[in-house]
Coordinates of all heavy atoms in Angstrom, one line a residue:
H1 N 85.5 56.7 -67.9 CA 86.1 56.2 -69.1 C 85.8 57.3 -70.2 O 84.6 57.9 -70.2 CB 85.4 54.9 -69.5 CG 86.1 54.1 -70.5 ND1 87.5 53.8 -70.3 CD2 85.8 53.5 -71.6 CE1 88.0 53.0 -71.4 NE2 86.9 52.8 -72.1
N2 N 86.8 57.6 -71.0 CA 86.7 58.6 -71.8 C 86.0 58.1 -73.2 O 86.3 57.1 -73.8 CB 88.2 59.1 -72.4 CG 88.3 60.3 -73.2 OD1 87.1 60.7 -73.7 ND2 89.4 60.9 -73.2
N3 N 84.9 59.0 -73.6 CA 84.1 58.4 -74.8 C 84.9 58.6 -76.1 O 84.4 58.1 -77.1 CB 82.8 59.3 -74.9 CG 81.9 58.9 -73.7 OD1 82.0 57.8 -73.3 ND2 81.1 59.8 -73.2
N4 N 85.9 59.4 -76.1 CA 86.7 59.5 -77.3 C 87.4 58.3 -77.9 O 88.0 58.2 -78.9 CB 87.6 60.7 -77.2 CG 87.1 62.0 -77.1 OD1 86.0 62.2 -77.3 ND2 87.9 62.9 -76.4
N5 N 87.4 57.3 -76.9 CA 88.2 56.0 -77.3 C 87.2 54.9 -77.6 O 87.8 53.9 -77.9 CB 89.0 55.7 -76.1 CG 89.9 56.7 -75.7 OD1 90.6 57.3 -76.5 ND2 90.0 57.0 -74.3
K6 N 86.0 55.3 -78.0 CA 85.0 54.2 -78.5 C 85.6 53.7 -79.8 O 86.0 54.4 -80.8 CB 83.6 54.8 -78.6 CG 83.0 54.9 -77.3 CD 81.6 55.5 -77.5 CE 81.0 55.5 -76.0 NZ 79.6 55.9 -76.3
G7 N 85.5 52.4 -80.0 CA 85.9 51.8 -81.3 C 87.3 51.4 -81.3 O 87.7 50.7 -82.3
L8 N 88.0 51.7 -80.5 CA 89.5 51.4 -80.4 C 89.6 50.0 -80.0 O 88.9 49.6 -79.0 CB 90.4 52.3 -79.6 CG 90.5 53.7 -80.2 CD1 91.3 54.5 -79.2 CD2 91.1 53.6 -81.6
T9 N 90.4 49.2 -80.4 CA 90.6 47.8 -80.1 C 91.8 47.5 -79.3 O 92.2 46.3 -79.1 CB 90.5 46.9 -81.1 OG1 91.7 47.1 -82.1 CG2 89.2 46.9 -82.1
D10 N 92.5 48.6 -79.0 CA 93.7 48.4 -78.2 C 93.5 47.9 -76.9 O 92.6 48.4 -76.1 CB 94.4 49.9 -78.0 CG 95.8 49.7 -77.5 OD1 96.1 49.0 -76.6 OD2 96.7 50.5 -78.1
S11 N 94.3 46.8 -76.3 CA 94.0 46.2 -75.1 C 94.3 47.2 -73.9 O 93.6 47.0 -72.9 CB 94.8 44.9 -75.0 OG 96.1 45.2 -75.0
Y12 N 95.3 48.0 -74.1 CA 95.5 49.0 -73.0 C 94.4 49.9 -72.8 O 94.0 50.0 -71.6 CB 96.8 49.9 -73.4 CG 97.0 51.0 -72.5 CD1 97.7 50.8 -71.4 CD2 96.5 52.2 -72.7 CE1 98.0 51.8 -70.5 CE2 96.8 53.3 -71.9 CZ 97.6 53.1 -70.7 OH 97.8 54.0 -69.9
I13 N 93.7 50.2 -73.8 CA 92.5 51.2 -73.8 C 91.3 50.4 -73.1 O 90.6 50.9 -72.4 CB 92.1 51.9 -75.1 CG1 93.3 52.8 -75.5 CG2 90.8 52.5 -75.1 CD1 93.2 53.3 -76.9
Q14 N 91.1 49.2 -73.7 CA 90.0 48.4 -73.1 C 90.2 47.9 -71.7 O 89.2 47.8 -71.1 CB 89.8 47.2 -74.0 CG 89.3 47.4 -75.4 CD 89.4 46.2 -76.2 OE1 90.0 45.2 -75.9 NE2 88.6 46.3 -77.3
Q15 N 91.3 47.8 -71.2 CA 91.5 47.3 -69.9 C 92.0 48.3 -68.9 O 92.2 48.0 -67.7 CB 92.6 46.2 -69.9 CG 92.2 45.0 -70.7 CD 93.4 43.9 -71.0 OE1 94.4 44.1 -70.2 NE2 93.3 43.1 -71.8
S16 N 91.8 49.5 -69.2 CA 92.3 50.6 -68.3 C 91.2 51.6 -68.1 O 90.3 51.8 -68.9 CB 93.5 51.4 -68.9 OG 94.5 50.5 -69.1
V17 N 91.2 52.2 -66.8 CA 90.4 53.3 -66.6 C 91.1 54.6 -66.9 O 92.0 54.9 -66.3 CB 89.9 53.3 -65.2 CG1 89.1 54.5 -64.8 CG2 89.1 52.0 -64.8
L18 N 90.8 55.1 -68.0 CA 91.5 56.3 -68.6 C 91.3 57.5 -67.8 O 90.0 57.8 -67.5 CB 91.3 56.4 -70.1 CG 91.7 55.3 -70.9 CD1 91.4 55.3 -72.5 CD2 93.1 54.8 -70.8
T19 N 92.3 58.3 -67.7 CA 92.1 59.6 -67.1 C 92.8 60.7 -68.1 O 93.4 60.3 -69.1 CB 92.9 59.8 -65.8 OG1 94.2 59.5 -66.0 CG2 92.3 58.7 -64.8
S20 N 92.7 61.9 -67.9 CA 93.3 62.9 -68.7 C 95.0 62.7 -68.8 O 95.5 63.1 -69.9 CB 93.0 64.3 -68.1 OG 93.7 64.5 -66.8
T21 N 95.4 62.0 -67.9 CA 96.9 61.9 -67.9 C 97.3 60.7 -69.0 O 98.4 60.6 -69.3 CB 97.6 61.5 -66.6 OG1 97.0 60.3 -66.2 CG2 97.4 62.6 -65.6
D22 N 96.2 60.0 -69.3 CA 96.6 59.0 -70.5 C 96.4 59.4 -71.8 O 96.7 58.6 -72.7 CB 95.6 57.8 -70.3 CG 95.8 57.1 -68.8 OD1 96.9 56.8 -68.6 OD2 94.8 57.0 -68.1
T23 N 96.1 60.7 -72.0 CA 95.9 61.2 -73.3 C 97.2 61.0 -74.3 O 97.0 60.6 -75.4 CB 95.7 62.7 -73.4 OG1 94.5 63.0 -72.6 CG2 95.4 63.3 -74.8
G24 N 98.3 61.3 -73.8 CA 99.5 61.0 -74.6 C 99.7 59.6 -74.9 O 100.1 59.3 -76.1
V25 N 99.4 58.6 -74.1 CA 99.6 57.2 -74.5 C 98.5 56.8 -75.5 O 98.8 56.1 -76.4 CB 99.4 56.4 -73.1 CG1 99.5 54.9 -73.5 CG2 100.6 56.7 -72.2
V26 N 97.4 57.2 -75.3 CA 96.3 57.0 -76.2 C 96.6 57.5 -77.5 O 96.5 56.9 -78.6 CB 95.0 57.4 -75.7 CG1 93.9 57.2 -76.6 CG2 94.5 56.6 -74.4
D27 N 97.0 58.7 -77.6 CA 97.4 59.3 -78.9 C 98.5 58.6 -79.6 O 98.6 58.4 -80.9 CB 97.7 60.9 -78.7 CG 96.5 61.6 -78.4 OD1 95.3 61.3 -78.6 OD2 96.7 62.7 -77.9
F28 N 99.5 58.3 -78.8 CA 100.7 57.5 -79.4 C 100.1 56.1 -79.9 O 100.5 55.8 -81.0 CB 101.7 57.3 -78.3 CG 102.8 56.4 -78.9 CD1 103.8 56.9 -79.8 CD2 102.9 55.0 -78.3 CE1 104.8 56.0 -80.3 CE2 104.0 54.3 -78.9 CZ 104.9 54.8 -79.7
R29 N 99.3 55.5 -79.2 CA 98.9 54.2 -79.7 C 98.0 54.3 -81.0 O 98.0 53.4 -81.9 CB 98.1 53.6 -78.5 CG 99.0 52.9 -77.5 CD 98.3 52.4 -76.3 NE 99.2 51.9 -75.3 CZ 99.5 50.6 -75.3 NH1 99.2 49.8 -76.2 NH2 100.3 50.2 -74.4
R30 N 97.1 55.4 -81.1 CA 96.5 55.6 -82.2 C 97.3 55.8 -83.5 O 97.1 55.4 -84.5 CB 95.5 56.9 -82.0 CG 94.3 56.6 -81.4 CD 93.4 57.9 -81.4 NE 92.2 57.6 -80.6 CZ 91.8 58.4 -79.7 NH1 92.3 59.6 -79.5 NH2 90.6 58.1 -79.2
W31 N 98.4 56.7 -83.1 CA 99.3 57.0 -84.2 C 100.1 55.7 -84.7 O 100.3 55.5 -85.9 CB 100.4 57.9 -83.7 CG 101.4 58.4 -84.7 CD1 101.5 59.5 -85.6 CD2 102.8 57.7 -84.8 NE1 102.4 59.3 -86.3 CE2 103.4 58.4 -85.9 CE3 103.3 56.7 -84.3 CZ2 104.5 58.1 -86.4 CZ3 104.6 56.3 -84.7 CH2 105.2 56.9 -85.8
M32 N 100.5 54.8 -83.8 CA 101.1 53.6 -84.1 C 100.1 52.7 -84.8 O 100.6 52.1 -85.9 CB 101.5 52.8 -82.9 CG 102.7 53.4 -82.2 SD 104.2 52.9 -83.0 CE 104.2 51.2 -82.9
K33 N 98.8 52.7 -84.5 CA 97.8 51.9 -85.2 C 97.8 52.4 -86.8 O 97.7 51.6 -87.7 CB 96.5 51.8 -84.5 CG 95.5 50.9 -85.2 CD 94.3 50.8 -84.4 CE 93.4 49.9 -85.0 NZ 92.2 49.6 -84.1
K34 N 97.7 53.7 -86.8 CA 97.5 54.3 -88.1 C 98.6 54.3 -89.1 O 98.4 53.9 -90.2 CB 97.1 55.8 -87.9 CG 96.6 56.5 -89.3 CD 96.2 57.9 -88.9 CE 95.9 58.7 -90.3 NZ 95.5 60.1 -90.0
F35 N 99.8 54.6 -88.6 CA 101.0 54.6 -89.3 C 102.0 53.5 -89.4 O 102.7 53.4 -90.3 CB 101.7 55.9 -89.0 CG 101.0 57.1 -89.3 CD1 100.5 57.9 -88.2 CD2 100.8 57.6 -90.6 CE1 99.7 59.1 -88.6 CE2 100.0 58.7 -90.9 CZ 99.5 59.5 -89.9
A36 N 101.8 52.6 -88.4 CA 102.8 51.6 -88.3 C 102.1 50.1 -88.1 O 102.8 49.2 -87.7 CB 103.7 51.7 -87.2
G37 N 100.8 50.1 -88.3 CA 100.0 48.9 -88.3 C 99.9 48.4 -86.9 O 99.6 47.4 -86.7
G38 N 99.9 49.3 -85.9 CA 99.9 48.9 -84.5 C 101.0 48.4 -83.9 O 101.1 47.9 -82.7
R39 N 102.3 48.3 -84.6 CA 103.4 47.6 -84.0 C 104.6 48.3 -84.6 O 104.7 48.9 -85.7 CB 103.3 46.1 -84.2 CG 103.4 45.8 -85.7 CD 103.2 44.2 -85.7 NE 103.0 43.9 -87.2 CZ 103.9 43.8 -88.1 NH1 105.2 44.0 -87.7 NH2 103.7 43.4 -89.3
I40 N 105.8 48.1 -83.9 CA 107.1 48.6 -84.4 C 107.6 47.3 -85.3 O 107.7 46.3 -84.8 CB 108.0 48.9 -83.4 CG1 107.4 50.0 -82.4 CG2 109.3 49.4 -83.9 CD1 108.1 50.4 -81.2
P41 N 108.0 47.7 -86.6 CA 108.5 46.6 -87.5 C 109.9 46.3 -87.2 O 111.0 46.8 -87.7 CB 108.4 47.2 -88.8 CG 108.5 48.7 -88.5 CD 107.8 48.8 -87.2
F42 N 110.1 45.4 -86.1 CA 111.4 45.0 -85.8 C 112.1 44.0 -86.8 O 111.2 43.3 -87.5 CB 111.5 44.2 -84.4 CG 111.2 45.2 -83.3 CD1 109.9 45.2 -82.6 CD2 112.0 46.1 -82.8 CE1 109.7 46.0 -81.6 CE2 111.9 46.9 -81.8 CZ 110.6 46.9 -81.2
R43 N 113.4 43.9 -86.9 CA 114.0 43.1 -88.0 C 113.6 41.6 -87.8 O 113.5 40.8 -88.7 CB 115.5 43.3 -87.9 CG 116.2 42.5 -88.9 CD 117.7 42.8 -89.0 NE 118.0 44.1 -89.4 CZ 117.9 44.5 -90.6 NH1 117.5 43.7 -91.6 NH2 118.2 45.8 -90.9
A44 N 113.4 41.1 -86.5 CA 113.1 39.9 -86.2 C 111.8 39.5 -86.4 O 111.4 38.3 -86.2 CB 113.5 39.5 -84.7
D45 N 110.9 40.3 -86.8 CA 109.5 40.2 -86.9 C 109.2 39.4 -88.1 O 109.4 39.8 -89.3 CB 108.7 41.5 -87.1 CG 107.3 41.3 -86.9 OD1 106.7 40.2 -87.1 OD2 106.5 42.4 -86.7
S46 N 108.8 38.2 -88.1 CA 108.5 37.2 -89.3 C 107.3 37.7 -90.2 O 107.2 37.2 -91.1 CB 108.4 35.8 -88.8 OG 107.2 35.6 -87.9
N47 N 106.6 38.4 -89.6 CA 105.3 38.9 -90.2 C 105.5 40.0 -91.2 O 104.7 40.6 -91.8 CB 104.1 39.3 -89.3 CG 103.6 38.0 -88.5 OD1 103.6 36.8 -89.1 ND2 103.2 38.3 -87.3
N48 N 106.7 40.6 -91.1 CA 107.2 41.9 -91.8 C 107.7 41.6 -93.1 O 108.4 40.6 -93.3 CB 108.2 42.5 -90.9 CG 107.9 44.0 -91.0 OD1 107.3 44.5 -91.8 ND2 108.6 44.7 -90.1
N49 N 107.3 42.4 -94.1 CA 108.0 42.3 -95.3 C 109.3 43.2 -95.2 O 109.4 44.0 -94.4 CB 107.2 42.6 -96.6 CG 106.6 44.0 -96.5 OD1 107.3 44.9 -95.9 ND2 105.5 44.3 -97.2
N50 N 110.3 43.0 -96.1 CA 111.5 43.7 -96.1 C 111.4 45.2 -96.3 O 112.4 45.9 -96.1 CB 112.6 43.0 -97.0 CG 113.0 41.6 -96.5 OD1 113.0 41.5 -95.3 ND2 113.5 40.8 -97.5
N51 N 110.4 45.7 -96.8 CA 110.2 47.0 -97.1 C 109.8 47.9 -95.9 O 109.9 49.0 -95.9 CB 109.1 47.3 -98.2 CG 109.4 46.7 -99.4 OD1 110.6 46.6 -99.9 ND2 108.4 46.3 -100.2
N52 N 109.4 47.1 -94.9 CA 109.0 47.9 -93.5 C 110.0 47.7 -92.6 O 109.7 48.2 -91.4 CB 107.7 47.3 -93.2 CG 106.5 48.3 -93.3 OD1 106.7 49.4 -93.7 ND2 105.3 47.9 -93.2
I53 N 111.2 47.2 -92.7 CA 112.0 46.9 -91.6 C 112.8 48.4 -91.2 O 113.1 49.1 -92.1 CB 113.1 46.0 -92.1 CG1 112.5 44.6 -92.2 CG2 114.2 45.9 -91.0 CD1 113.4 43.5 -92.8
M54 N 112.7 48.5 -89.9 CA 113.3 49.7 -89.3 C 114.9 49.6 -89.5 O 115.4 48.5 -89.3 CB 113.0 49.8 -87.9 CG 111.7 50.3 -87.7 SD 111.2 50.3 -85.8 CE 112.5 51.6 -85.2
P55 N 115.5 50.7 -90.0 CA 116.9 50.6 -90.1 C 117.7 50.4 -88.6 O 117.1 50.9 -87.6 CB 117.4 52.0 -90.6 CG 116.2 52.9 -90.3 CD 115.1 52.1 -90.2
P56 N 118.8 49.7 -88.7 CA 119.4 49.7 -87.3 C 119.9 51.0 -86.7 O 120.2 51.9 -87.5 CB 120.6 48.8 -87.6 CG 120.9 48.9 -89.0 CD 119.5 49.1 -89.5
A57 N 119.8 51.2 -85.5 CA 120.1 52.5 -84.8 C 121.2 52.1 -83.7 O 121.2 51.3 -83.1 CB 118.9 53.1 -84.2
D58 N 122.1 53.1 -83.8 CA 123.2 53.1 -82.8 C 122.8 53.5 -81.5 O 121.9 54.4 -81.4 CB 124.4 54.1 -83.3 CG 125.6 54.0 -82.5 OD1 125.8 53.0 -81.7 OD2 126.4 54.9 -82.6
N59 N 123.3 52.7 -80.4 CA 122.8 53.1 -79.0 C 123.0 54.6 -78.6 O 122.3 55.2 -78.0 CB 123.4 52.3 -78.1 CG 122.8 51.0 -78.0 OD1 121.7 50.7 -78.4 ND2 123.5 49.9 -77.3
E60 N 124.2 55.2 -79.3 CA 124.4 56.6 -78.9 C 123.3 57.5 -79.5 O 123.0 58.5 -78.9 CB 125.8 57.0 -79.5 CG 126.9 56.4 -78.8 CD 128.2 56.9 -79.2 OE1 128.4 58.0 -79.7 OE2 129.2 56.1 -79.0
V61 N 122.7 57.1 -80.6 CA 121.7 58.0 -81.3 C 120.4 57.7 -80.4 O 119.6 58.5 -80.1 CB 121.5 57.6 -82.6 CG1 120.2 58.2 -83.3 CG2 122.7 57.8 -83.6
V62 N 120.0 56.4 -80.1 CA 118.8 56.1 -79.4 C 118.8 56.7 -78.0 O 117.7 57.2 -77.6 CB 118.6 54.6 -79.3 CG1 117.4 54.3 -78.4 CG2 118.7 53.9 -80.7
F63 N 119.9 56.6 -77.4 CA 119.9 57.1 -76.0 C 120.5 58.5 -75.8 O 121.0 59.0 -74.7 CB 120.6 56.1 -75.1 CG 120.1 54.9 -75.0 CD1 120.6 53.7 -75.7 CD2 118.7 54.6 -74.3 CE1 120.0 52.6 -75.6 CE2 118.1 53.4 -74.3 CZ 118.6 52.4 -75.0
D64 N 120.4 59.4 -76.9 CA 121.0 60.6 -76.8 C 119.9 61.6 -76.2 O 119.2 62.1 -77.0 CB 121.3 61.2 -78.4 CG 122.0 62.5 -78.3 OD1 122.2 63.1 -77.2 OD2 122.2 63.1 -79.4
V65 N 120.0 61.7 -74.9 CA 119.0 62.6 -74.1 C 119.1 63.9 -74.4 O 118.2 64.8 -74.6 CB 119.2 62.2 -72.7 CG1 118.1 63.1 -71.8 CG2 118.8 60.7 -72.4
W66 N 120.5 64.4 -74.6 CA 120.6 65.9 -74.9 C 119.9 66.4 -76.2 O 119.2 67.3 -76.0 CB 122.2 66.1 -75.0 CG 122.4 67.6 -75.4 CD1 122.8 67.9 -76.7 CD2 122.2 68.8 -74.7 NE1 122.9 69.5 -76.6 CE2 122.6 69.8 -75.4 CE3 121.9 69.0 -73.3 CZ2 122.5 71.2 -75.0 CZ3 121.9 70.3 -72.9 CH2 122.2 71.3 -73.7
N67 N 120.2 65.7 -77.2 CA 119.7 66.2 -78.7 C 118.2 65.7 -78.7 O 117.4 66.4 -79.4 CB 120.3 65.6 -79.7 CG 121.7 66.3 -79.8 OD1 121.8 67.6 -80.0 ND2 122.8 65.5 -79.9
G68 N 117.8 64.6 -78.1 CA 116.4 64.3 -78.1 C 115.4 65.0 -77.3 O 114.3 65.1 -77.4
H69 N 115.9 65.6 -76.1 CA 115.1 66.2 -75.3 C 115.7 67.4 -74.6 O 115.1 68.6 -74.6 CB 114.6 65.2 -74.0 CG 113.8 65.9 -73.0 ND1 112.5 66.1 -73.1 CD2 114.2 66.4 -71.7 CE1 112.2 66.7 -72.0 NE2 113.1 66.9 -71.2
T70 N 116.8 67.3 -73.8 CA 117.3 68.4 -72.9 C 117.5 69.7 -73.6 O 117.0 70.6 -73.0 CB 118.6 68.0 -72.3 OG1 118.3 66.6 -71.7 CG2 119.1 68.9 -71.2
K71 N 118.1 69.7 -74.7 CA 118.4 71.0 -75.4 C 117.1 71.8 -75.9 O 117.1 72.9 -76.2 CB 119.4 70.8 -76.5 CG 119.0 70.4 -77.8 CD 120.0 70.4 -78.9 CE 119.6 69.9 -80.2 NZ 120.7 69.9 -81.1
H72 N 116.0 71.1 -76.0 CA 114.8 71.7 -76.4 C 113.8 72.0 -75.2 O 112.8 72.6 -75.6 CB 114.1 70.7 -77.4 CG 114.8 70.3 -78.5 ND1 115.3 71.2 -79.6 CD2 115.5 69.2 -78.8 CE1 116.0 70.5 -80.4 NE2 116.3 69.2 -80.0
C73 N 114.0 71.5 -74.0 CA 113.2 71.6 -72.9 C 113.6 72.8 -72.0 O 114.6 72.9 -71.6 CB 113.3 70.4 -72.1 SG 112.3 70.4 -70.6
Q74 N 112.6 73.7 -72.0 CA 112.8 75.0 -71.1 C 113.2 74.7 -69.6 O 113.9 75.3 -69.0 CB 111.7 76.0 -71.2 CG 110.4 75.5 -70.6 CD 109.3 76.6 -70.6 OE1 109.3 77.5 -71.4 NE2 108.1 76.2 -70.0
Y75 N 112.6 73.6 -69.1 CA 112.7 73.3 -67.7 C 114.1 72.7 -67.5 O 114.8 73.1 -66.5 CB 111.7 72.3 -67.2 CG 110.3 72.9 -67.4 CD1 109.3 72.4 -68.4 CD2 109.8 73.9 -66.6 CE1 108.2 72.9 -68.5 CE2 108.5 74.6 -66.8 CZ 107.7 74.0 -67.7 OH 106.5 74.6 -67.9
C76 N 114.5 71.8 -68.5 CA 115.8 71.2 -68.4 C 116.9 72.3 -68.5 O 118.0 72.4 -67.9 CB 115.9 70.1 -69.3 SG 115.1 68.6 -69.0
Q77 N 116.6 73.2 -69.5 CA 117.7 74.3 -69.7 C 117.7 75.2 -68.4 O 118.8 75.6 -68.1 CB 117.3 75.1 -70.9 CG 117.5 74.4 -72.3 CD 119.0 74.0 -72.5 OE1 119.8 75.1 -72.4 NE2 119.3 72.8 -72.7
G78 N 116.7 75.5 -67.8 CA 116.7 76.4 -66.5 C 117.4 75.6 -65.5 O 118.3 76.2 -64.7
A79 N 117.3 74.2 -65.3 CA 117.9 73.4 -64.4 C 119.5 73.4 -64.7 O 120.3 73.6 -63.8 CB 117.4 72.1 -64.3
L80 N 119.8 73.3 -66.0 CA 121.2 73.3 -66.3 C 121.8 74.5 -66.1 O 123.0 74.6 -65.5 CB 121.4 73.1 -67.9 CG 122.7 72.8 -68.5 CD1 123.5 71.7 -67.9 CD2 122.6 72.5 -70.0
R81 N 121.2 75.7 -66.4 CA 121.7 77.2 -66.0 C 122.0 77.1 -64.5 O 123.0 77.7 -64.1 CB 120.7 78.2 -66.5 CG 120.9 78.6 -67.8 CD 120.2 79.9 -68.2 NE 118.7 79.8 -68.0 CZ 117.8 79.2 -68.8 NH1 118.2 78.7 -70.0 NH2 116.6 79.1 -68.5
N82 N 121.0 76.7 -63.7 CA 121.2 76.8 -62.3 C 122.4 76.0 -61.8 O 123.1 76.3 -61.0 CB 119.9 76.4 -61.4 CG 118.9 77.3 -61.6 OD1 119.1 78.4 -61.9 ND2 117.7 76.8 -61.5
L83 N 122.5 74.6 -62.3 CA 123.6 73.9 -62.0 C 125.0 74.6 -62.4 O 126.0 74.4 -61.6 CB 123.6 72.6 -62.7 CG 122.5 71.6 -62.1 CD1 122.4 70.4 -63.0 CD2 122.9 71.1 -60.7
R84 N 125.1 75.2 -63.6 CA 126.2 75.9 -63.8 C 126.7 77.0 -63.0 O 127.7 77.2 -62.6 CB 126.2 76.3 -65.4 CG 126.2 75.3 -66.4 CD 126.1 75.7 -67.8 NE 126.2 74.7 -68.7 CZ 125.8 74.7 -69.9 NH1 125.1 75.7 -70.3 NH2 125.9 73.7 -70.6
K85 N 125.6 77.7 -62.4 CA 125.8 78.7 -61.5 C 126.3 78.3 -60.2 O 127.3 78.8 -59.6 CB 124.6 79.5 -61.3 CG 124.1 80.5 -62.4 CD 122.8 81.1 -62.2 CE 122.2 81.8 -63.3 NZ 120.8 82.4 -63.1
I86 N 125.8 77.2 -59.7 CA 126.1 76.4 -58.4 C 127.6 76.0 -58.5 O 128.3 76.1 -57.7 CB 125.2 75.4 -58.2 CG1 123.9 75.9 -57.6 CG2 125.8 74.4 -56.9 CD1 122.8 74.9 -57.6
R87 N 127.9 75.4 -59.7 CA 129.3 75.0 -59.9 C 130.3 76.1 -59.8 O 131.2 76.0 -59.3 CB 129.4 74.1 -61.2 CG 130.8 73.5 -61.5 CD 130.9 72.8 -62.6 NE 130.1 72.9 -63.7 CZ 130.3 72.3 -64.9 NH1 131.2 71.5 -65.1 NH2 129.5 72.6 -65.9
A88 N 130.0 77.2 -60.5 CA 131.0 78.4 -60.6 C 131.1 78.9 -59.0 O 132.1 79.2 -58.7 CB 130.4 79.5 -61.5
A89 N 129.8 78.9 -58.4 CA 129.9 79.5 -57.0 C 130.8 78.6 -56.1 O 131.5 78.9 -55.3 CB 128.5 79.7 -56.4
S90 N 130.6 77.3 -56.4 CA 131.4 76.3 -55.5 C 133.0 76.3 -55.8 O 133.7 76.2 -54.9 CB 130.9 74.9 -55.6 OG 131.1 74.4 -56.9
F91 N 133.2 76.7 -57.0 CA 134.7 76.9 -57.4 C 135.2 78.0 -56.7 O 136.3 78.0 -56.1 CB 134.9 77.0 -58.9 CG 134.9 75.8 -59.7 CD1 134.2 75.6 -60.8 CD2 135.5 74.5 -59.1 CE1 134.1 74.4 -61.5 CE2 135.5 73.3 -59.8 CZ 134.7 73.4 -61.0
V92 N 134.5 79.2 -56.7 CA 134.8 80.4 -56.1 C 135.0 80.2 -54.5 O 135.9 80.5 -53.9 CB 133.9 81.6 -56.3 CG1 134.2 82.7 -55.5 CG2 133.8 81.9 -57.9
A93 N 133.9 79.6 -53.9 CA 134.0 79.3 -52.5 C 135.2 78.4 -52.1 O 135.7 78.5 -51.1 CB 132.8 78.6 -52.1
S94 N 135.5 77.3 -53.0 CA 136.6 76.5 -52.6 C 138.0 77.2 -52.6 O 139.0 76.7 -52.1 CB 136.6 75.2 -53.5 OG 136.9 75.6 -54.9
A95 N 138.1 78.3 -53.5 CA 139.3 79.0 -53.6 C 139.6 79.8 -52.4 O 140.6 80.3 -52.2 CB 139.2 79.8 -54.9
L96 N 138.5 80.1 -51.7 CA 138.7 81.1 -50.5 C 139.2 80.4 -49.5 O 139.6 79.9 -48.7 CB 137.3 81.7 -50.1 CG 136.7 82.6 -51.2 CD1 135.4 83.1 -50.7 CD2 137.5 83.8 -51.4

């Protein structure tokens, strides 16, 4: 168990045997607790005042993997370059 998590009341942290791979999850949960009161302020949340309501998001924005991840990830960009090379080679091979 990681000693850096002492004093946290998060049920995930209390009920899990944490490893180094859990660092991102633990950091996110700390951030949520610090900046969002430990929860996401959904519109249907009756405990929320109107000042904290998240604006509605379009599904195209929420699930936009290209702008949210792919165009910034060196590994995804490398895979995309390889796929483009393979596609070009397959067009050439099919023409022969």
Side-chain angles (χ1 to χ4, degrees):
H1 201 47
N2 192 342
N3 289 333
N4 294 337
N5 299 318
K6 286 184 178 178
L8 291 178
T9 58
D10 191 322
S11 63
Y12 174 84
I13 293 170
Q14 289 177 342
Q15 297 174 13
S16 300
V17 177
L18 301 177
T19 65
S20 61
T21 59
D22 295 310
T23 302
V25 173
V26 172
D27 289 344
F28 175 73
R29 288 174 176 268
R30 281 189 182 131
W31 181 89
M32 284 289 293
K33 185 174 184 174
K34 182 177 180 180
F35 294 106
R39 59 188 172 78
I40 298 172
F42 292 106
R43 183 172 296 282
D45 190 349
S46 61
N47 296 328
N48 211 351
N49 61 25
N50 288 334
N51 297 330
N52 250 354
I53 294 176
M54 289 177 56
D58 185 19
N59 279 347
E60 288 184 28
V61 174
V62 172
F63 298 109
D64 183 6
V65 178
W66 173 257
N67 287 309
H69 173 80
T70 307
K71 78 176 185 181
H72 305 289
C73 177
Q74 68 179 5
Y75 302 106
C76 290
Q77 286 297 307
L80 184 59
R81 277 190 300 277
N82 289 338
L83 286 172
R84 287 180 176 155
K85 289 176 188 175
I86 291 169
R87 182 172 28 170
S90 66
F91 284 135
V92 170
S94 68
L96 298 177

